[in-house]
Amino acid sequence: MDGSAQSVNPGMDPEGTGLKGVGQKEEGPQRKGLKKDPLTGLYQQDYLMRELSILLRQQKSADVEASLALFQLENFYEIRRWVGKSEADLLLGDIARLLTQTLPTAVLLCRCNHYEFAALLPDEHSIHAQTLIQRVKQALHSAVSDSIPPQLELKCAVGLAAIAHSIPSAEVMFASARHNLSMALLRQRRNHTLDYQHGESVPVSLPQLLNILRGNELLLNFQPSVALKADGLRHYEVRCELPTKELAHSPSAVFEAAVKNAIGEQIDRWVMGKCLQLLLQPEMGDLRLTVNLTQNSLVSGQFFDWLRLQLAHDPTLADRLVLQISELDVLTAQHHMNSFSRQLADLRLKLSISHFGCTADPFRYLPLLRTHFVKLDVALLDNLGRDQNIEEQLAKMTRRLHESGIRVIAAMVEDMEVVPLLWSAEVNFVQGFCWREPARELSFLFAQARVLQLDSWRQGNRTN
């Protein structure tokens, strides 16, 4: 591949005035201020967000078929260290041209931050997105390998998000693609045999979902959240898993189908009931459970009435419960947040926001909620330890959250070597495979804080 310039953006007419087959054609004055990336010749994220907004407006009056694919060059930081910044810039231009040549002309390709490219796939390209993505990844692997040192291999992960009536804004759609990208990165690093990337697991039909629920086939498992400064509590996040015979469906696919069919609240009540039974056991006095809620419960008028009845005989159980909702659900259901937050306060329940930071400005919605914990989106921790800017940004975000009285959880941490960096950034809790995979038993050995008085220790040794 060479280093020549690319002037025409795929998915645009030669003047770059509109997205073919997807968006509205717009004239030059309306494009004022939208600049192309000098390295790749592609429009940047601001143009993409505008086209997504157009699509979502169209979606309100007619069904629109489109998907957003977010490509991340996963190890480009490492490649840049080996070849140098100048060579890496040339390589990035080569990659942009390769993507341009591989993707159909109707696809809008833009360059985003963090060595990412976004492709907006219209119509039939969206339907066959997985096939198209595999073709792109194969082309990248075969063509770029000659341009980098032999000991390296360009790694590319992709997150997909399909347009839907439930998506309120371009920001939420982009964040959904970023979240699915983060999950894809995590699965690649764990080298799972089954890849449940969006669109790759077997879809769950309503009859299949009802059979799973009627058969009581959901199982609970627990993953520890380890406090970097021991607080005397055992913190676990509660997850759902499926029995081995149901492995054709990922848990996320089951929950996605449940929310789509408005029965997520039924699952939430089942999970919460099991958790309350566990907390009632005498030996569980130091246990704190974080329970994830679906969007169905978040917007329901009945869930909190039901939960209030469950807590009536022992209101102190609320002190050991944390309800967790995702940042995407907060943005999707903003007009429900005041009522939701008020109900939490009435029951003295704590709130955690998961995937915090998957949108461009997560702090702007925090005033809507009385938040006690945030669980950082895994993308914020990507390249931690390899890029000092990431460490500085993490520390800055953590300080800002602490100023609001919010404790910070780093999730999906795989590498124990990252834990000292999280400690340095004053993250409060660490969760991930570096400690333990989710398990059906509450058997993790948490550290216990002990205060030793020097005089008492000396006295005890003299006695002995």
mmCIF file of all heavy atoms in Angstrom, residues 48-57 59-60 68 120 161-177 327-334 358-361 364-365:
data_model
loop_
_atom_site.group_PDB
_atom_site.id
_atom_site.type_symbol
_atom_site.label_atom_id
_atom_site.label_comp_id
_atom_site.label_asym_id
_atom_site.label_seq_id
_atom_site.Cartn_x
_atom_site.Cartn_y
_atom_site.Cartn_z
ATOM 1 N N LEU A 48 -20.621 12.059 11.041
ATOM 2 C CA LEU A 48 -21.334 10.811 11.293
ATOM 3 C C LEU A 48 -22.533 11.054 12.212
ATOM 4 O O LEU A 48 -23.636 10.549 11.956
ATOM 5 C CB LEU A 48 -20.384 9.793 11.929
ATOM 6 C CG LEU A 48 -21.039 8.508 12.438
ATOM 7 C CD1 LEU A 48 -21.466 7.629 11.273
ATOM 8 C CD2 LEU A 48 -20.079 7.751 13.357
ATOM 9 N N MET A 49 -22.323 11.807 13.293
ATOM 10 C CA MET A 49 -23.404 12.040 14.247
ATOM 11 C C MET A 49 -24.557 12.799 13.590
ATOM 12 O O MET A 49 -25.732 12.556 13.894
ATOM 13 C CB MET A 49 -22.880 12.809 15.457
ATOM 14 C CG MET A 49 -21.754 12.098 16.204
ATOM 15 S SD MET A 49 -22.185 10.435 16.750
ATOM 16 C CE MET A 49 -23.062 10.825 18.252
ATOM 17 N N ARG A 50 -24.245 13.683 12.672
ATOM 18 C CA ARG A 50 -25.302 14.416 11.971
ATOM 19 C C ARG A 50 -26.114 13.468 11.090
ATOM 20 O O ARG A 50 -27.349 13.530 11.055
ATOM 21 C CB ARG A 50 -24.709 15.549 11.143
ATOM 22 C CG ARG A 50 -25.768 16.499 10.603
ATOM 23 C CD ARG A 50 -25.165 17.670 9.879
ATOM 24 N NE ARG A 50 -24.555 17.255 8.617
ATOM 25 C CZ ARG A 50 -24.103 18.121 7.716
ATOM 26 N NH1 ARG A 50 -24.147 19.414 7.969
ATOM 27 N NH2 ARG A 50 -23.578 17.692 6.593
ATOM 28 N N GLU A 51 -25.421 12.562 10.383
ATOM 29 C CA GLU A 51 -26.128 11.611 9.526
ATOM 30 C C GLU A 51 -26.968 10.633 10.354
ATOM 31 O O GLU A 51 -28.077 10.257 9.952
ATOM 32 C CB GLU A 51 -25.118 10.852 8.658
ATOM 33 C CG GLU A 51 -24.419 11.708 7.621
ATOM 34 C CD GLU A 51 -25.391 12.283 6.600
ATOM 35 O OE1 GLU A 51 -26.313 11.570 6.164
ATOM 36 O OE2 GLU A 51 -25.247 13.477 6.258
ATOM 37 N N LEU A 52 -26.461 10.231 11.495
ATOM 38 C CA LEU A 52 -27.245 9.368 12.379
ATOM 39 C C LEU A 52 -28.500 10.084 12.859
ATOM 40 O O LEU A 52 -29.582 9.478 12.949
ATOM 41 C CB LEU A 52 -26.391 8.934 13.575
ATOM 42 C CG LEU A 52 -25.339 7.859 13.334
ATOM 43 C CD1 LEU A 52 -24.516 7.645 14.599
ATOM 44 C CD2 LEU A 52 -25.978 6.553 12.906
ATOM 45 N N SER A 53 -28.380 11.354 13.179
ATOM 46 C CA SER A 53 -29.544 12.125 13.623
ATOM 47 C C SER A 53 -30.598 12.203 12.527
ATOM 48 O O SER A 53 -31.808 12.102 12.795
ATOM 49 C CB SER A 53 -29.111 13.534 14.038
ATOM 50 O OG SER A 53 -28.240 13.495 15.149
ATOM 51 N N ILE A 54 -30.170 12.355 11.287
ATOM 52 C CA ILE A 54 -31.110 12.386 10.161
ATOM 53 C C ILE A 54 -31.854 11.060 10.061
ATOM 54 O O ILE A 54 -33.070 11.009 9.890
ATOM 55 C CB ILE A 54 -30.358 12.692 8.848
ATOM 56 C CG1 ILE A 54 -29.833 14.129 8.858
ATOM 57 C CG2 ILE A 54 -31.263 12.460 7.637
ATOM 58 C CD1 ILE A 54 -28.889 14.441 7.708
ATOM 59 N N LEU A 55 -31.112 9.965 10.177
ATOM 60 C CA LEU A 55 -31.723 8.639 10.108
ATOM 61 C C LEU A 55 -32.759 8.441 11.204
ATOM 62 O O LEU A 55 -33.838 7.891 10.969
ATOM 63 C CB LEU A 55 -30.640 7.564 10.252
ATOM 64 C CG LEU A 55 -29.887 7.151 8.990
ATOM 65 C CD1 LEU A 55 -28.821 6.140 9.351
ATOM 66 C CD2 LEU A 55 -30.827 6.570 7.962
ATOM 67 N N LEU A 56 -32.424 8.861 12.403
ATOM 68 C CA LEU A 56 -33.335 8.667 13.530
ATOM 69 C C LEU A 56 -34.594 9.509 13.374
ATOM 70 O O LEU A 56 -35.683 9.088 13.797
ATOM 71 C CB LEU A 56 -32.617 8.989 14.839
ATOM 72 C CG LEU A 56 -31.528 7.982 15.219
ATOM 73 C CD1 LEU A 56 -30.653 8.522 16.339
ATOM 74 C CD2 LEU A 56 -32.145 6.650 15.636
ATOM 75 N N ARG A 57 -34.478 10.673 12.763
ATOM 76 C CA ARG A 57 -35.680 11.468 12.475
ATOM 77 C C ARG A 57 -36.551 10.767 11.440
ATOM 78 O O ARG A 57 -37.777 10.736 11.554
ATOM 79 C CB ARG A 57 -35.297 12.868 11.990
ATOM 80 C CG ARG A 57 -34.748 13.772 13.088
ATOM 81 C CD ARG A 57 -34.791 15.238 12.676
ATOM 82 N NE ARG A 57 -33.968 15.518 11.516
ATOM 83 C CZ ARG A 57 -32.682 15.853 11.582
ATOM 84 N NH1 ARG A 57 -32.080 15.926 12.762
ATOM 85 N NH2 ARG A 57 -31.999 16.108 10.485
ATOM 86 N N GLN A 59 -36.678 7.598 11.020
ATOM 87 C CA GLN A 59 -37.208 6.398 11.647
ATOM 88 C C GLN A 59 -38.536 6.655 12.356
ATOM 89 O O GLN A 59 -39.352 5.746 12.518
ATOM 90 C CB GLN A 59 -36.168 5.847 12.641
ATOM 91 C CG GLN A 59 -36.578 4.617 13.416
ATOM 92 C CD GLN A 59 -36.539 3.357 12.561
ATOM 93 O OE1 GLN A 59 -36.306 3.425 11.371
ATOM 94 N NE2 GLN A 59 -36.763 2.215 13.183
ATOM 95 N N LYS A 60 -38.791 7.884 12.760
ATOM 96 C CA LYS A 60 -40.029 8.204 13.468
ATOM 97 C C LYS A 60 -41.250 8.105 12.561
ATOM 98 O O LYS A 60 -42.364 7.860 13.022
ATOM 99 C CB LYS A 60 -39.937 9.610 14.072
ATOM 100 C CG LYS A 60 -38.935 9.706 15.213
ATOM 101 C CD LYS A 60 -38.866 11.121 15.770
ATOM 102 C CE LYS A 60 -37.862 11.204 16.912
ATOM 103 N NZ LYS A 60 -37.746 12.575 17.461
ATOM 104 N N LEU A 68 -24.799 0.656 12.404
ATOM 105 C CA LEU A 68 -23.532 1.357 12.598
ATOM 106 C C LEU A 68 -22.486 0.337 13.024
ATOM 107 O O LEU A 68 -22.678 -0.381 14.013
ATOM 108 C CB LEU A 68 -23.675 2.436 13.657
ATOM 109 C CG LEU A 68 -22.395 3.199 14.026
ATOM 110 C CD1 LEU A 68 -21.896 4.005 12.837
ATOM 111 C CD2 LEU A 68 -22.633 4.108 15.221
ATOM 112 N N LEU A 120 -21.416 3.487 8.442
ATOM 113 C CA LEU A 120 -22.872 3.491 8.518
ATOM 114 C C LEU A 120 -23.404 2.690 7.339
ATOM 115 O O LEU A 120 -23.242 3.081 6.178
ATOM 116 C CB LEU A 120 -23.384 4.934 8.484
ATOM 117 C CG LEU A 120 -24.875 5.146 8.708
ATOM 118 C CD1 LEU A 120 -25.344 4.459 9.994
ATOM 119 C CD2 LEU A 120 -25.185 6.638 8.773
ATOM 120 N N ALA A 161 -24.385 -1.768 16.010
ATOM 121 C CA ALA A 161 -25.646 -1.327 16.605
ATOM 122 C C ALA A 161 -26.626 -1.078 15.469
ATOM 123 O O ALA A 161 -26.299 -0.361 14.510
ATOM 124 C CB ALA A 161 -25.452 -0.065 17.432
ATOM 125 N N ALA A 162 -27.802 -1.674 15.549
ATOM 126 C CA ALA A 162 -28.830 -1.490 14.521
ATOM 127 C C ALA A 162 -29.769 -0.360 14.922
ATOM 128 O O ALA A 162 -30.090 -0.189 16.104
ATOM 129 C CB ALA A 162 -29.615 -2.791 14.325
ATOM 130 N N ILE A 163 -30.208 0.393 13.948
ATOM 131 C CA ILE A 163 -31.147 1.473 14.231
ATOM 132 C C ILE A 163 -32.478 0.874 14.679
ATOM 133 O O ILE A 163 -32.882 -0.189 14.225
ATOM 134 C CB ILE A 163 -31.337 2.371 12.979
ATOM 135 C CG1 ILE A 163 -32.009 3.675 13.363
ATOM 136 C CG2 ILE A 163 -32.107 1.650 11.878
ATOM 137 C CD1 ILE A 163 -31.990 4.719 12.270
ATOM 138 N N ALA A 164 -33.128 1.546 15.622
ATOM 139 C CA ALA A 164 -34.392 1.044 16.160
ATOM 140 C C ALA A 164 -35.210 2.213 16.677
ATOM 141 O O ALA A 164 -34.678 3.290 16.986
ATOM 142 C CB ALA A 164 -34.135 0.044 17.285
ATOM 143 N N HIS A 165 -36.528 2.007 16.785
ATOM 144 C CA HIS A 165 -37.420 3.064 17.279
ATOM 145 C C HIS A 165 -37.082 3.454 18.716
ATOM 146 O O HIS A 165 -37.357 4.574 19.143
ATOM 147 C CB HIS A 165 -38.874 2.604 17.198
ATOM 148 C CG HIS A 165 -39.402 2.504 15.798
ATOM 149 N ND1 HIS A 165 -39.748 3.609 15.047
ATOM 150 C CD2 HIS A 165 -39.620 1.424 15.000
ATOM 151 C CE1 HIS A 165 -40.164 3.216 13.850
ATOM 152 N NE2 HIS A 165 -40.104 1.903 13.798
ATOM 153 N N SER A 166 -36.506 2.509 19.459
ATOM 154 C CA SER A 166 -36.224 2.779 20.875
ATOM 155 C C SER A 166 -35.000 3.660 21.090
ATOM 156 O O SER A 166 -34.752 4.116 22.201
ATOM 157 C CB SER A 166 -36.013 1.446 21.612
ATOM 158 O OG SER A 166 -34.927 0.725 21.046
ATOM 159 N N ILE A 167 -34.209 3.899 20.051
ATOM 160 C CA ILE A 167 -32.992 4.705 20.184
ATOM 161 C C ILE A 167 -33.350 6.179 20.046
ATOM 162 O O ILE A 167 -33.812 6.615 18.990
ATOM 163 C CB ILE A 167 -31.948 4.306 19.133
ATOM 164 C CG1 ILE A 167 -31.528 2.848 19.349
ATOM 165 C CG2 ILE A 167 -30.730 5.221 19.195
ATOM 166 C CD1 ILE A 167 -30.561 2.320 18.304
ATOM 167 N N PRO A 168 -33.143 6.981 21.099
ATOM 168 C CA PRO A 168 -33.626 8.365 21.064
ATOM 169 C C PRO A 168 -32.693 9.354 20.382
ATOM 170 O O PRO A 168 -33.112 10.444 20.023
ATOM 171 C CB PRO A 168 -33.759 8.704 22.548
ATOM 172 C CG PRO A 168 -32.693 7.888 23.207
ATOM 173 C CD PRO A 168 -32.601 6.611 22.414
ATOM 174 N N SER A 169 -31.410 9.000 20.238
ATOM 175 C CA SER A 169 -30.472 10.001 19.723
ATOM 176 C C SER A 169 -29.269 9.324 19.087
ATOM 177 O O SER A 169 -28.991 8.136 19.310
ATOM 178 C CB SER A 169 -29.985 10.912 20.861
ATOM 179 O OG SER A 169 -29.205 10.169 21.783
ATOM 180 N N ALA A 170 -28.550 10.116 18.282
ATOM 181 C CA ALA A 170 -27.329 9.617 17.650
ATOM 182 C C ALA A 170 -26.300 9.230 18.705
ATOM 183 O O ALA A 170 -25.554 8.266 18.536
ATOM 184 C CB ALA A 170 -26.760 10.684 16.712
ATOM 185 N N GLU A 171 -26.254 9.992 19.791
ATOM 186 C CA GLU A 171 -25.302 9.701 20.857
ATOM 187 C C GLU A 171 -25.534 8.311 21.443
ATOM 188 O O GLU A 171 -24.590 7.564 21.697
ATOM 189 C CB GLU A 171 -25.422 10.763 21.952
ATOM 190 C CG GLU A 171 -24.429 10.575 23.087
ATOM 191 C CD GLU A 171 -24.623 11.585 24.206
ATOM 192 O OE1 GLU A 171 -25.745 12.085 24.373
ATOM 193 O OE2 GLU A 171 -23.654 11.851 24.912
ATOM 194 N N VAL A 172 -26.805 7.947 21.633
ATOM 195 C CA VAL A 172 -27.115 6.634 22.209
ATOM 196 C C VAL A 172 -26.764 5.525 21.220
ATOM 197 O O VAL A 172 -26.242 4.473 21.607
ATOM 198 C CB VAL A 172 -28.598 6.564 22.615
ATOM 199 C CG1 VAL A 172 -28.984 5.148 23.013
ATOM 200 C CG2 VAL A 172 -28.862 7.519 23.774
ATOM 201 N N MET A 173 -27.031 5.742 19.934
ATOM 202 C CA MET A 173 -26.697 4.710 18.945
ATOM 203 C C MET A 173 -25.190 4.500 18.867
ATOM 204 O O MET A 173 -24.706 3.373 18.804
ATOM 205 C CB MET A 173 -27.257 5.090 17.578
ATOM 206 C CG MET A 173 -27.109 3.971 16.542
ATOM 207 S SD MET A 173 -28.096 4.256 15.063
ATOM 208 C CE MET A 173 -27.609 2.817 14.073
ATOM 209 N N PHE A 174 -24.435 5.594 18.870
ATOM 210 C CA PHE A 174 -22.978 5.471 18.837
ATOM 211 C C PHE A 174 -22.472 4.772 20.104
ATOM 212 O O PHE A 174 -21.590 3.917 20.049
ATOM 213 C CB PHE A 174 -22.327 6.847 18.696
ATOM 214 C CG PHE A 174 -20.848 6.795 18.438
ATOM 215 C CD1 PHE A 174 -20.369 6.691 17.143
ATOM 216 C CD2 PHE A 174 -19.934 6.830 19.480
ATOM 217 C CE1 PHE A 174 -19.001 6.621 16.894
ATOM 218 C CE2 PHE A 174 -18.571 6.769 19.247
ATOM 219 C CZ PHE A 174 -18.098 6.666 17.942
ATOM 220 N N ALA A 175 -23.050 5.136 21.247
ATOM 221 C CA ALA A 175 -22.645 4.517 22.504
ATOM 222 C C ALA A 175 -22.969 3.020 22.514
ATOM 223 O O ALA A 175 -22.212 2.218 23.065
ATOM 224 C CB ALA A 175 -23.329 5.209 23.674
ATOM 225 N N SER A 176 -24.077 2.645 21.901
ATOM 226 C CA SER A 176 -24.432 1.228 21.821
ATOM 227 C C SER A 176 -23.410 0.456 20.994
ATOM 228 O O SER A 176 -22.992 -0.644 21.366
ATOM 229 C CB SER A 176 -25.829 1.080 21.218
ATOM 230 O OG SER A 176 -26.202 -0.275 21.135
ATOM 231 N N ALA A 177 -22.996 1.042 19.874
ATOM 232 C CA ALA A 177 -21.963 0.401 19.054
ATOM 233 C C ALA A 177 -20.646 0.305 19.819
ATOM 234 O O ALA A 177 -19.942 -0.705 19.759
ATOM 235 C CB ALA A 177 -21.769 1.179 17.749
ATOM 236 N N GLU A 327 -25.769 3.114 31.472
ATOM 237 C CA GLU A 327 -25.778 4.497 30.975
ATOM 238 C C GLU A 327 -26.685 4.629 29.761
ATOM 239 O O GLU A 327 -27.392 5.644 29.600
ATOM 240 C CB GLU A 327 -24.358 4.920 30.623
ATOM 241 C CG GLU A 327 -24.242 6.347 30.128
ATOM 242 C CD GLU A 327 -22.805 6.819 30.069
ATOM 243 O OE1 GLU A 327 -22.206 7.019 31.142
ATOM 244 O OE2 GLU A 327 -22.278 6.978 28.952
ATOM 245 N N LEU A 328 -26.705 3.617 28.901
ATOM 246 C CA LEU A 328 -27.567 3.671 27.713
ATOM 247 C C LEU A 328 -29.034 3.745 28.103
ATOM 248 O O LEU A 328 -29.823 4.469 27.486
ATOM 249 C CB LEU A 328 -27.313 2.447 26.829
ATOM 250 C CG LEU A 328 -25.948 2.392 26.131
ATOM 251 C CD1 LEU A 328 -25.794 1.075 25.397
ATOM 252 C CD2 LEU A 328 -25.783 3.553 25.178
ATOM 253 N N ASP A 329 -29.428 2.989 29.145
ATOM 254 C CA ASP A 329 -30.819 3.025 29.584
ATOM 255 C C ASP A 329 -31.163 4.366 30.221
ATOM 256 O O ASP A 329 -32.296 4.848 30.096
ATOM 257 C CB ASP A 329 -31.104 1.888 30.574
ATOM 258 C CG ASP A 329 -31.243 0.543 29.882
ATOM 259 O OD1 ASP A 329 -31.465 0.529 28.658
ATOM 260 O OD2 ASP A 329 -31.114 -0.497 30.550
ATOM 261 N N VAL A 330 -30.210 4.973 30.918
ATOM 262 C CA VAL A 330 -30.443 6.306 31.480
ATOM 263 C C VAL A 330 -30.786 7.299 30.368
ATOM 264 O O VAL A 330 -31.737 8.074 30.460
ATOM 265 C CB VAL A 330 -29.217 6.805 32.270
ATOM 266 C CG1 VAL A 330 -29.401 8.258 32.682
ATOM 267 C CG2 VAL A 330 -28.984 5.941 33.496
ATOM 268 N N LEU A 331 -30.014 7.249 29.286
ATOM 269 C CA LEU A 331 -30.220 8.190 28.198
ATOM 270 C C LEU A 331 -31.484 7.870 27.405
ATOM 271 O O LEU A 331 -32.164 8.772 26.917
ATOM 272 C CB LEU A 331 -29.003 8.179 27.266
ATOM 273 C CG LEU A 331 -27.704 8.682 27.904
ATOM 274 C CD1 LEU A 331 -26.535 8.469 26.971
ATOM 275 C CD2 LEU A 331 -27.820 10.147 28.272
ATOM 276 N N THR A 332 -31.795 6.581 27.287
ATOM 277 C CA THR A 332 -32.980 6.186 26.534
ATOM 278 C C THR A 332 -34.263 6.551 27.269
ATOM 279 O O THR A 332 -35.277 6.867 26.647
ATOM 280 C CB THR A 332 -32.950 4.668 26.265
ATOM 281 O OG1 THR A 332 -31.753 4.353 25.549
ATOM 282 C CG2 THR A 332 -34.141 4.224 25.442
ATOM 283 N N ALA A 333 -34.216 6.509 28.592
ATOM 284 C CA ALA A 333 -35.431 6.731 29.393
ATOM 285 C C ALA A 333 -35.278 7.938 30.311
ATOM 286 O O ALA A 333 -35.681 7.907 31.475
ATOM 287 C CB ALA A 333 -35.744 5.475 30.198
ATOM 288 N N GLN A 334 -34.737 9.026 29.803
ATOM 289 C CA GLN A 334 -34.447 10.192 30.643
ATOM 290 C C GLN A 334 -35.689 10.743 31.335
ATOM 291 O O GLN A 334 -35.621 11.190 32.479
ATOM 292 C CB GLN A 334 -33.796 11.291 29.801
ATOM 293 C CG GLN A 334 -32.356 11.014 29.430
ATOM 294 C CD GLN A 334 -31.682 12.206 28.785
ATOM 295 O OE1 GLN A 334 -31.755 13.316 29.285
ATOM 296 N NE2 GLN A 334 -31.035 11.975 27.653
ATOM 297 N N CYS A 358 -19.446 5.480 28.264
ATOM 298 C CA CYS A 358 -19.535 5.022 26.878
ATOM 299 C C CYS A 358 -20.089 6.113 25.976
ATOM 300 O O CYS A 358 -20.017 6.012 24.751
ATOM 301 C CB CYS A 358 -20.363 3.739 26.769
ATOM 302 S SG CYS A 358 -22.115 3.919 27.111
ATOM 303 N N THR A 359 -20.634 7.183 26.573
ATOM 304 C CA THR A 359 -21.058 8.344 25.793
ATOM 305 C C THR A 359 -20.038 9.470 25.958
ATOM 306 O O THR A 359 -19.160 9.403 26.813
ATOM 307 C CB THR A 359 -22.442 8.834 26.260
ATOM 308 O OG1 THR A 359 -22.393 9.142 27.654
ATOM 309 C CG2 THR A 359 -23.502 7.778 26.021
ATOM 310 N N ALA A 360 -20.190 10.498 25.129
ATOM 311 C CA ALA A 360 -19.164 11.547 25.082
ATOM 312 C C ALA A 360 -19.096 12.361 26.369
ATOM 313 O O ALA A 360 -18.014 12.771 26.785
ATOM 314 C CB ALA A 360 -19.436 12.471 23.885
ATOM 315 N N ASP A 361 -20.235 12.608 27.024
ATOM 316 C CA ASP A 361 -20.251 13.439 28.227
ATOM 317 C C ASP A 361 -21.157 12.811 29.283
ATOM 318 O O ASP A 361 -22.299 13.239 29.476
ATOM 319 C CB ASP A 361 -20.729 14.860 27.891
ATOM 320 C CG ASP A 361 -20.658 15.789 29.103
ATOM 321 O OD1 ASP A 361 -20.047 15.394 30.118
ATOM 322 O OD2 ASP A 361 -21.217 16.900 29.027
ATOM 323 N N ARG A 364 -23.101 14.874 32.282
ATOM 324 C CA ARG A 364 -24.218 15.807 32.115
ATOM 325 C C ARG A 364 -25.541 15.234 32.618
ATOM 326 O O ARG A 364 -26.446 15.988 32.951
ATOM 327 C CB ARG A 364 -24.347 16.240 30.659
ATOM 328 C CG ARG A 364 -24.792 15.179 29.693
ATOM 329 C CD ARG A 364 -24.812 15.751 28.275
ATOM 330 N NE ARG A 364 -25.108 14.747 27.282
ATOM 331 C CZ ARG A 364 -26.337 14.410 26.902
ATOM 332 N NH1 ARG A 364 -27.362 14.995 27.476
ATOM 333 N NH2 ARG A 364 -26.525 13.498 25.983
ATOM 334 N N TYR A 365 -25.678 13.894 32.687
ATOM 335 C CA TYR A 365 -26.937 13.340 33.172
ATOM 336 C C TYR A 365 -26.898 13.000 34.667
ATOM 337 O O TYR A 365 -27.926 12.708 35.267
ATOM 338 C CB TYR A 365 -27.339 12.087 32.377
ATOM 339 C CG TYR A 365 -26.432 10.895 32.570
ATOM 340 C CD1 TYR A 365 -26.511 10.112 33.728
ATOM 341 C CD2 TYR A 365 -25.517 10.532 31.599
ATOM 342 C CE1 TYR A 365 -25.681 9.022 33.911
ATOM 343 C CE2 TYR A 365 -24.683 9.438 31.772
ATOM 344 C CZ TYR A 365 -24.778 8.686 32.928
ATOM 345 O OH TYR A 365 -23.949 7.607 33.101
#
